[in-house]
Amino acid sequence: MITRISEIIHEWTGWCPNANSMKIKNFGNPGGFHAGIPQVKTLAPSGADRPGMPQGRRYDHTQRGTLIIGAVSAAAVFLLASALWFGLNWVPLIVLVILLFVLAIMSTLTVQVDRDALRIRFGPVGLVRKSWPISEIASASIVTNPWYYGYGIRITPHGSLYNVSGSAAVEVQLFSGKTFRIGTDEPETLKTAIDLARTENKTHSRE
């Protein structure tokens, strides 16, 4: 039973060493990428006559919350072992369901950027998601969060923080004056993707 639960956790979270990868996907090109094979694409084609994100492409990266996954998985295994040893009762089962729910909605953070919008989605299930039009973004900068900002969705002096792991983040400022931070394990690449998307959006708007 413990083995089966571990398999379910793996299927839900995809937790695997060295599994993080950044992908710039090509819409409408099923032969360009294959699922499960890490790929890295440049944000603009070689020899491009103008800067910007190529039309039809996007930045798409999923970061796994290693600490969250490890802690929740360890607690789940402990609860299962206790239930098998001492007998089943409602309390550990309820706690186990809550832990699995946490894994389903908060174990990963997916960030997507294209010419039109910056989008984030928590967990494989995607119940918690948010998006901002690229046209409303004034700037993006790389920042470092103090450890006490924590993980999940937090309110900080710099606006909302969306984070599942680590201290690196990209702070986004909107033309309205509001700011927010997106935690990421590849801040330089995310900032570049946002900057290129802004350039492409402006160019497209003038056409």
Side-chain angles (χ1 to χ4, degrees), residues 42-173:
T42 56
L43 293 176
S46 176
D49 57 358
R50 66 183 182 183
M53 188 171 294
Q55 185 175 4
R57 294 188 183 180
R58 68 177 181 179
Y59 170 92
D60 189 347
H61 175 66
T62 298
Q63 181 184 11
R64 291 178 174 84
T66 306
L67 181 61
I68 296 174
I69 294 173
V72 173
S73 298
V77 171
F78 174 79
L79 287 173
L80 284 173
S82 299
L84 293 176
W85 185 263
F86 297 106
L88 294 175
N89 62 73
W90 286 107
V91 174
L93 288 179
I94 293 174
V95 174
L96 179 60
V97 170
I98 294 174
L99 291 176
L100 293 178
F101 181 73
V102 170
L103 280 181
I105 66 171
M106 297 299 291
S107 60
T108 62
L109 176 60
T110 298
V111 182
Q112 298 175 334
V113 183
D114 58 30
R115 188 179 63 191
D116 299 318
L118 163 63
R119 302 177 179 88
I120 62 171
R121 183 182 74 250
F122 278 95
V125 176
L127 290 178
V128 182
R129 59 179 67 204
K130 193 170 180 60
S131 65
W132 301 265
I134 289 295
S135 59
E136 295 182 4
I137 296 178
S139 65
S141 58
I142 298 173
V143 295
T144 300
N145 296 315
W147 64 268
Y148 51 82
Y149 278 11
Y151 304 134
I153 302 175
R154 304 285 181 168
I155 301 300
T156 76
H158 310 281
S160 299
L161 168 65
Y162 309 92
N163 188 31
V164 294
S165 182
S167 59
V170 170
E171 181 172 293
V172 178
Q173 181 171 9

Side-chain angles (χ1 to χ4, degrees), residues 25 28 32 35 39 51 92 126 155 160 167 178 183 194 207:
K25 295 184 179 178
Q39 299 285 349
I155 301 300
S160 299
S167 59
K178 294 182 179 180
I194 295 173
E207 292 177 350

